Amino acid sequence: MNDNSAMDDSLISSVVLVNGDVSPVSEKNHDEKPPTSAAKPARTESSSSIDEKKEYKSVSKLRGNHIVILALRRMLKGPAPTLDHIIRFLSSGSGHDKFWMVTQYFTKIVVWLFAKRGQKSASERVRTLSNLVADYRIMIRLTGLVPMAQYVRYAEQFPAPSQLLQWLDRIMNLSLCVYYPLEHIYWLGAHQVLPFSDKVVDFSGYWSCRFWAAWVGLQFAHLGEEYRLIKGRKQKIYTQDKMDAAKMQEELDSVDAAMKSWKIQLLINACYFPLTLHWSIRGSTFPDVAVGAFGTVAALAQTYNVWKETA
């Protein structure tokens, strides 16, 4: 409290010196001659009020600057949990990809906005960025078969809770095991890293997307079976005997979390569905801005999942 009072006094003194006035306002008014007309006191009163307002604004500004300095000092010296979280997010393989995924698809919307306003040059520059990011994301998937092989082993070692889910997992894994090599052939051939003909590059590009579209279609069936199992879990909790309130609440919270995750996965898959169909059909007229819109929603939903995982 004493430090704050001293600071306030020094700030007020500084303001008075800045204004070129070393005498208190009350003393100045006392030494002045009494006014000779009714108009003069009004002018003197108005001038005093203006001076006080100026002093108040100056003191407030100095206080605001002091608060900013203290906030910056605390930010630089103290812990930064949000910054740490961002670094963990970007350092993970999924978080790194999702950052660039948001960039890739959102820039397509920006391209459309610039083109609509007639800013052709800006539109083309942003389009170049979007294409570079898309190409980069395909490149970093050249190692995609390695984690895919690990996931296939995991799916066999730890079976799904139902036979239908287990078989769906196997078929979906098979579709991705075909998708990855075809995409690799497309990218390596398109960049002339390997001497593939244009026909092979074109064929592998379309068919890689078709196997991805098959995975997305099967994912709807997978989500339907998951929904049935989640509802069954919830019904079992309510009908189970000899369960205390705390245990029941814990189980219900687990079911609610599973349902929330299920809804997010459904949103992501619903956004991917039109995109994979678009890329699988020759001569598709699906607008690029729609690709950006659906892709951005899917990217943000996946970013949310990875952000929670890296908390």
Side-chain angles (χ1 to χ4, degrees):
M1 288 295 293
N2 294 334
D3 293 340
N4 292 338
S5 299
M7 182 186 72
D8 292 345
D9 293 339
S10 64
L11 290 173
I12 295 172
S13 300
S14 300
V15 173
V16 173
L17 288 172
V18 168
N19 290 336
D21 187 3
V22 295
S23 302
V25 176
S26 59
E27 291 180 2
K28 284 181 61 182
N29 293 337
H30 179 73
D31 293 336
E32 290 176 355
K33 294 181 180 180
T36 58
S37 65
K40 287 184 179 180
R43 284 198 298 269
T44 305
E45 216 171 62
S46 175
S47 175
S48 174
S49 177
I50 291 172
D51 289 342
E52 289 177 0
K53 287 180 180 179
K54 286 182 179 179
E55 290 178 7
Y56 177 78
K57 288 180 180 179
S58 300
V59 172
S60 299
K61 185 177 180 180
L62 289 172
R63 285 177 176 171
N65 292 338
H66 184 71
I67 292 171
V68 170
I69 292 171
L70 290 177
L72 288 173
R73 188 179 299 171
R74 179 174 296 181
M75 182 180 69
L76 293 174
K77 288 187 176 181
T82 303
L83 181 61
D84 294 340
H85 192 177
I86 292 172
I87 292 172
R88 287 195 304 272
F89 173 83
L90 293 175
S91 299
S92 66
S94 296
H96 178 81
D97 178 66
K98 297 306 169 282
F99 171 80
W100 289 116
M101 183 180 176
V102 172
T103 304
Q104 174 191 346
Y105 288 109
F106 184 72
T107 48
K108 289 183 178 293
I109 301 175
V110 176
V111 167
W112 177 81
L113 289 172
F114 277 138
K116 189 176 180 181
R117 295 177 181 179
Q119 298 175 322
K120 186 176 180 181
S121 177
S123 176
E124 289 302 319
R125 288 197 298 270
V126 178
R127 189 191 305 277
T128 300
L129 172 63
S130 181
N131 292 338
L132 285 172
V133 173
D135 194 64
Y136 170 73
R137 292 188 64 234
I138 296 176
M139 185 191 72
I140 62 177
R141 286 199 296 267
L142 288 173
T143 58
L145 275 174
V146 177
M148 189 68 227
Q150 183 187 40
Y151 182 74
V152 169
R153 284 171 49 85
Y154 178 87
E156 294 301 321
Q157 292 173 1
F158 302 94
S162 76
Q163 194 69 18
L164 177 58
L165 282 183
Q166 185 66 21
W167 278 105
L168 284 171
D169 282 338
R170 287 169 178 166
I171 300 171
M172 293 167 70
N173 290 340
L174 180 61
S175 69
L176 290 182
C177 287
V178 179
Y179 156 79
Y180 276 113
L182 287 173
E183 186 184 59
H184 301 341
I185 293 171
Y186 163 77
W187 190 87
L188 293 170
H191 289 278
Q192 299 180 351
V193 178
L194 294 178
F196 296 125
S197 66
D198 292 342
K199 185 177 180 180
V200 171
V201 172
D202 186 68
F203 174 88
S204 59
Y206 275 108
W207 277 99
S208 65
C209 292
R210 287 166 186 169
F211 276 99
W212 184 14
W215 185 93
V216 172
L218 291 169
Q219 177 72 348
F220 281 118
H222 199 284
L223 288 169
E225 178 66 4
E226 287 180 16
Y227 181 81
R228 186 186 68 82
L229 293 175
I230 292 172
K231 285 295 185 180
R233 280 177 57 191
K234 191 169 187 177
Q235 185 176 5
K236 185 178 179 180
I237 292 171
Y238 285 120
T239 58
Q240 191 171 354
D241 297 331
K242 298 180 180 179
M243 180 183 290
D244 58 24
K247 181 66 175 176
M248 177 179 287
Q249 188 59 49
E250 182 180 348
E251 292 291 332
L252 289 174
D253 290 342
S254 176
V255 170
D256 290 341
M259 181 58 72
K260 183 179 180 181
S261 176
W262 180 87
K263 290 177 180 178
I264 294 174
Q265 292 301 324
L266 180 63
L267 174 64
I268 295 170
N269 209 58
C271 290
Y272 272 135
F273 185 67
L275 300 183
T276 54
L277 287 181
H278 161 61
W279 292 320
S280 301
I281 300 172
R282 294 180 184 272
S284 172
T285 58
F286 198 67
D288 210 37
V289 64
V291 173
F294 281 104
T296 299
V297 174
L300 291 175
Q302 291 179 84
T303 299
Y304 171 77
N305 284 340
V306 180
W307 182 261
K308 287 199 307 179
E309 292 170 2
T310 55

